[in-house]
Amino acid sequence: MTAFVIRRLLQAMVVLFVTSVIVFTGVYAIGDPLEILLPADATMAERAQVARSLGLDQPLIVQYGRFLMNALSGNLGTSFVYNRPSISIILDRLPATLELAFSALVLAIIIGIPLGLWSGLRRGSAVDETIMTGSILGFSLPNFWQGMMLIMIFSVYLGWLPSTGRGQTGTILGIETSFATWDGIRHLILPAINLSLAKISLVIRLTRTGVQETMPLDFIKFARARGLSSRRIVTVHVLKNILIPIITVIGVEFGSLIAFAVVTETIFSWPGVGKLIIDSIKVLDRPVVVAYILVVVTMFITINLIVDILYSILDPRIRSKAP
Amino acid sequence: MTMDATNSTETILEVSDLQTHFFTPAGVVKSVDGVSLTLKRGEILGLVGESGSGKSITGFSILGLVDPPGRNVGGSILFRGEELLGASEERLRSLRGNRIAMIFQDPMMTLNPVLSIKTHMIETVLAHESVSRSEALARSIDALRMVGISQPEKRIESYPHEFSGGMRQRVAIAIALLHKPDLIIADEPTTALDVTIQSQILSEMQKLCRELGLGLIWISHDLGVVAGLADRIAVMYAGRIVEQGTVDEVLDTPRHPYTAGLIGSAPAANSRGSRLTQIRGAAPHPLNRPEGCAFRTRCDYATDICRQEPPETRGSNTQSWRCFHPLATSNLETLP
């Protein structure tokens, strides 16, 4: 297991290096941040001075070399706009996004798995058809439209829930979070639902397919022949088998929830990293963009590692093969 | 093997005119079409037939485990005097794995790969009795020891993939024995195993069956296996039992041409070098079985009367058959 983790960490270093090259070059190609940072009437001398202070007068390879040296000592550059280390700007915003993504993930699991089981066990019934139709809507209606409809219904017409911002936060176990106050939770509900709808649909479909593949297997029939209750067969025998693919997809999706919460954060003015990255791309704030992508890649790698470890807990066949 | 003292004991299972049909979009498949059989305590019945003859469905019907589109449409299953057809699902569940156990064909598939043997066994004990987990564990270990698994205290912690096929089938048998059932239905339990393991398991099953006084229905396509194991044989063809009797009766003096064909097509030690006889043709498609005797299209003796349903004919002893042209006992000399 230790050798496995070390090997994965080495792979992670390579992935991070390659990503940094691609992103750095890509962002360099998008445009010149000086056009945006400087007022339109700036003189050539002012221009050259700003370019020199930001290191933008050097060739790409030198700029990248400097970035890499700094990165190895933990400094991912200073934001052109905020004049603060880009990593600390991201880390300031990250808890809000993590909170949102985590809430959406929990909703996807606690709603998606039971509905998927129900649907899979009652295949072809009215319940199954209703759930399946609902999940198609969850998948195919555009995320931003769903978000606007949620605001229309629950904020504008019914006036039940606030539509923008994060609300009041409190501190639980040293972490600043919306879960600490009722106001915070009220602000969290709509964006979390918006972000989770597509994931709920995905988990429903995965679970339903898993149930349908597992139910005809001999070990389920043998479990019935042993006189086990249907409840135990479904919650232990079926669920434990289908959890493996579900965990895989949920793991990958959790990464994408964080990375692509952009739309939801924009609609609900949620002060998370998604909104930060959109703003930073607009002003070509290169260090923030690069640092953000590296943070996201790191998160994906970490999540995948956790998923692999979860596999071996769930499936004894993998456990015995692990070095 | 002859009938022994078990003959006079309690009848635990009495199936009469069982009908299990599958309602598929293409038509109704009469998988089990009028099966009758009885079983006494301590007795082993070999239910023999080729694939699709309905022998496994007969076994599942007794347990009430026929899934849609299949359904029991008629007949009666009396288990120790209690009617099982139409019994509540809860009643059937309380019998399954408790009074009536089943062993499946493929031991690689019958155990849940992500659960340990211990989990399988303890949950089976707890499904029918409220005992402590430690007592359930102790009983599970005893059952494993009974089927010849060494170091059961240690092996019970293993997962199915850590066992060989033969060992897994022993585990399945141990699970079947946990509640000392009255009846075990074994659906080709040794087909997927290699021959040496097969014979070990056969002799152990026979011993356990006698010692524990349980009735055993051994479903198989292999006459050779059944000949060495069973007290009585029932031969199934196209959803019906075409012949039944004691092993000696059926194997020495088969009256139904299909039974004779099965015997003739099995290799035996004394037929080395001679050509095996083969039943011509193939089993009829289940949706399109010949009316009357389903075997008539493959039978050398068939005449016009075979278009009618052959009645069950009883011989002078316990043998019975469904055929208008039963083989004379003297015909046998011509068979290998």
Side-chain angles (χ1 to χ4, degrees):
Chain A
M1 199 64 179
T2 318
F4 166 76
V5 173
I6 291 172
R7 197 166 59 234
R8 290 293 293 265
L9 286 177
L10 289 175
Q11 286 170 359
M13 301 304 287
V14 175
V15 171
L16 279 173
F17 171 73
V18 173
T19 314
S20 72
V21 172
I22 295 171
V23 173
F24 200 89
T25 320
V27 177
Y28 184 87
I30 292 175
D32 187 353
L34 291 180
E35 303 288 345
I36 292 164
L37 291 174
L38 288 168
D41 55 356
T43 62
M44 285 308 281
E46 281 170 343
R47 245 188 117 79
Q49 199 243 323
V50 172
R52 195 161 50 251
S53 74
L54 294 178
L56 295 174
D57 54 340
Q58 301 291 322
L60 174 63
I61 187 81
V62 177
Q63 288 188 35
Y64 179 75
R66 275 189 194 165
F67 162 78
L68 195 60
M69 284 301 123
N70 288 333
L72 288 177
S73 56
N75 174 11
L76 290 176
T78 303
S79 163
F80 298 158
V81 178
Y82 302 96
N83 199 23
R84 283 175 58 206
S86 53
I87 190 76
S88 71
I89 297 172
I90 291 167
L91 291 181
D92 279 353
R93 299 280 206 114
L94 201 56
T97 298
L98 283 178
E99 181 177 280
L100 186 61
F102 181 74
S103 309
L105 187 75
V106 169
L107 284 177
I109 293 170
I110 63 173
I111 296 175
I113 290 181
L115 286 184
L117 283 176
W118 194 11
S119 181
L121 293 171
R122 302 253 184 287
R123 190 179 179 182
S125 66
V127 169
D128 178 32
E129 307 248 322
T130 312
I131 293 174
M132 280 301 100
T133 312
S135 81
I136 291 172
L137 293 180
F139 261 132
S140 49
L141 293 179
N143 199 233
F144 71 87
W145 187 84
Q146 291 173 352
M148 292 191 306
M149 285 301 117
L150 287 173
I151 291 176
M152 284 280 279
I153 296 168
F154 293 101
S155 303
V156 179
Y157 289 141
L158 298 172
W160 291 352
L161 295 165
S163 63
T164 55
R166 198 179 173 197
Q168 198 185 339
T169 57
T171 313
I172 297 177
L173 301 171
I175 302 165
E176 199 191 331
T177 168
S178 301
F179 293 119
T181 66
W182 175 234
D183 183 57
I185 292 173
R186 272 165 48 86
H187 278 82
L188 184 60
I189 293 174
L190 286 184
I193 290 175
N194 180 228
L195 194 57
S196 68
L197 278 175
K199 305 304 168 199
I200 293 174
S201 308
L202 184 69
V203 173
I204 287 176
R205 287 186 165 253
L206 272 173
T207 311
R208 179 176 181 266
T209 309
V211 170
Q212 284 174 1
E213 281 169 3
T214 311
M215 285 309 281
L217 295 181
D218 266 8
F219 66 77
I220 297 296
K221 202 149 196 179
F222 186 57
R224 290 167 67 200
R226 287 187 283 139
L228 302 187
S229 64
S230 323
R231 188 190 173 83
R232 177 151 183 105
I233 291 174
V234 171
T235 55
V236 177
H237 287 258
V238 176
L239 202 56
K240 202 160 181 216
N241 266 280
I242 62 178
L243 230 39
I244 293 166
I246 294 176
I247 293 274
T248 316
V249 175
I250 284 178
V252 174
E253 291 297 321
F254 186 56
S256 75
L257 278 177
I258 297 168
F260 309 119
V262 179
V263 175
T264 299
E265 289 186 3
T266 309
I267 295 171
F268 291 92
S269 305
W270 190 260
V273 281
K275 204 162 173 316
L276 171 72
I277 190 68
I278 286 292
D279 296 342
S280 301
I281 290 173
K282 276 186 200 147
V283 298
L284 295 173
D285 193 351
R286 196 186 295 168
V288 175
V289 176
V290 174
Y292 170 77
I293 289 174
L294 291 181
V295 168
V296 167
V297 169
T298 310
M299 272 189 310
F300 267 92
I301 290 169
T302 313
I303 290 166
N304 276 324
L305 184 63
I306 293 171
V307 166
D308 282 343
I309 292 168
L310 279 179
Y311 276 170
S312 63
I313 293 170
L314 284 172
D315 194 337
R317 289 165 294 185
I318 296 172
R319 206 179 310 159
S320 60
K321 267 180 239 154
Chain B
M1 192 159 308
T2 52
M3 303 281 279
D4 50 25
T6 56
N7 197 8
S8 56
T9 55
E10 180 197 6
T11 297
I12 47 172
L13 183 72
E14 198 169 350
V15 176
S16 35
D17 197 31
L18 179 67
Q19 313 250 354
T20 304
H21 296 179
F22 283 76
F23 298 87
T24 67
V28 178
V29 176
K30 296 178 177 176
S31 297
V32 178
D33 192 14
V35 162
S36 301
L37 47 86
T38 59
L39 190 71
K40 294 186 166 61
R41 199 171 274 286
E43 188 178 47
I44 303 177
L45 171 71
L47 190 56
V48 182
E50 56 197 287
S51 308
S53 60
K55 52 194 194 313
S56 298
I57 302 296
T58 303
F60 284 123
S61 300
I62 294 168
L63 279 170
L65 280 181
V66 177
D67 289 322
R71 203 167 72 211
N72 290 113
V73 292
S76 152
I77 299 170
L78 289 176
F79 173 69
R80 303 180 71 188
E82 180 186 351
E83 178 59 69
L84 296 188
L85 279 189
S88 72
E89 179 51 33
E90 181 49 34
R91 177 62 187 147
L92 287 172
R93 190 202 64 73
S94 73
L95 289 173
R96 289 197 284 257
N98 184 9
R99 306 322 320 148
I100 308 175
M102 187 152 182
I103 303 166
F104 286 50
Q105 174 169 359
D106 188 352
M108 299 295 174
M109 298 295 294
T110 50
L111 299 172
N112 190 331
V114 300
L115 299 176
S116 66
I117 304 300
K118 187 163 120 181
T119 309
H120 279 95
M121 298 193 81
I122 288 180
E123 71 181 2
T124 312
V125 174
L126 297 181
H128 301 290
E129 278 175 55
S130 41
V131 294
S132 67
R133 285 186 73 82
S134 56
E135 189 181 342
L137 179 64
R139 269 173 56 182
S140 307
I141 290 171
D142 284 346
L144 287 179
R145 194 175 288 123
M146 206 189 309
V147 297
I149 288 178
S150 58
Q151 293 182 289
E153 302 83 358
K154 218 176 98 199
R155 302 300 299 274
I156 197 169
E157 305 283 347
S158 311
Y159 284 86
H161 70 276
E162 296 168 301
F163 280 107
S164 67
M167 292 304 261
R168 282 191 223 188
Q169 200 59 293
R170 281 168 201 266
V171 170
I173 294 168
I175 290 173
L177 292 172
L178 277 172
H179 291 281
K180 307 263 187 306
D182 301 306
L183 169 64
I184 292 184
I185 298 165
D187 187 5
E188 307 214 27
T190 56
T191 307
L193 305 178
D194 66 54
V195 181
T196 49
I197 306 292
Q198 182 176 334
S199 60
Q200 280 175 16
I201 286 189
L202 285 174
S203 68
E204 274 165 31
M205 281 305 288
Q206 201 170 30
K207 203 174 98 212
L208 287 167
C209 181
R210 304 280 185 241
E211 279 172 3
L212 304 173
L214 47 87
L216 176 62
I217 297 179
W218 191 277
I219 298 170
S220 179
H221 64 265
D222 188 341
L223 263 181
V225 163
V226 170
L229 173 79
D231 303 309
R232 288 194 303 121
I233 289 183
V235 180
M236 273 192 91
Y237 185 80
R240 297 204 174 105
I241 291 180
V242 293
E243 177 157 16
Q244 61 179 315
T246 64
V247 169
D248 290 346
E249 288 167 344
V250 173
L251 294 185
D252 294 347
T253 60
R255 305 303 297 269
H256 198 284
Y258 177 65
T259 315
L262 278 184
I263 297 168
S265 60
N270 56 4
S271 63
R272 178 182 293 271
S274 62
R275 205 175 161 83
L276 294 171
T277 50
Q278 191 184 343
I279 304 175
R280 69 185 161 85
H285 190 277
L287 278 171
N288 190 23
R289 283 178 181 153
E291 62 202 279
C293 174
F295 187 60
R296 67 185 161 84
T297 50
R298 303 170 73 187
C299 180
D300 293 332
Y301 306 92
T303 58
D304 276 349
I305 193 176
C306 298
R307 290 178 186 280
Q308 293 167 33
E309 193 73 41
E312 184 166 22
T313 315
R314 290 203 157 273
S316 52
N317 34 33
T318 65
Q319 195 172 3
S320 67
W321 56 87
R322 283 171 179 272
C323 183
F324 289 111
H325 307 292
L327 302 174
T329 45
S330 59
N331 277 8
L332 271 171
E333 270 87 72
T334 63
L335 288 163

